[in-house]
Structure formats: C-alpha cells, structure tokens
Amino acid sequence: MYVRKSIELREEIYQALKKETGEEGVSEKINEILYNALFKEKKSLFGTMEKTDISDLRDHGDRI
C-alpha cells in the first residue's frame, strides 16, 4: 500500500536521483533507500577483524 506524501528534497539530491533513475523513477528510488535504511538487517561487527597468523602469538612464559 502506498501513501501519498509531499516531502522537501534539496536540489542536489533531487538532481542526483533524477539523473540516476529518470524523472519517473525518483519515487521508487526514494522508497528503496528508505526501506534499506529503516528495515535492513543490522550488521554485526562479529567476524570483521582480519584473520591473524598464530606464528606471532606469545604465551605467558615468553614474558618471564
């Protein structure tokens, strides 16, 4: 279901959207951007650190 609502866009944002989608696709692009921003699954930071090589690891005995 769609709801008609008037919004105010900055001119440069409107021009960028119009350039990317054409005159008729602006509304769909705005809907897509808002949907992704509001309802997209939040990413977790788990697993974002690069894998490390265990050859450089030290244990407690190395510090004594």
Side-chain angles (χ1 to χ4, degrees), residues 11-40:
E11 183 67 26
E12 63 269 14
I13 293 173
Y14 175 72
Q15 293 301 327
L17 286 169
K18 191 167 84 170
K19 181 179 178 183
E20 183 177 328
T21 63
E23 187 73 35
E24 301 298 321
V26 172
S27 181
E28 288 80 17
K29 186 66 175 178
I30 291 172
N31 278 319
E32 178 186 336
I33 292 169
L34 289 173
Y35 182 84
N36 288 338
L38 295 173
F39 299 111
K40 189 174 181 184

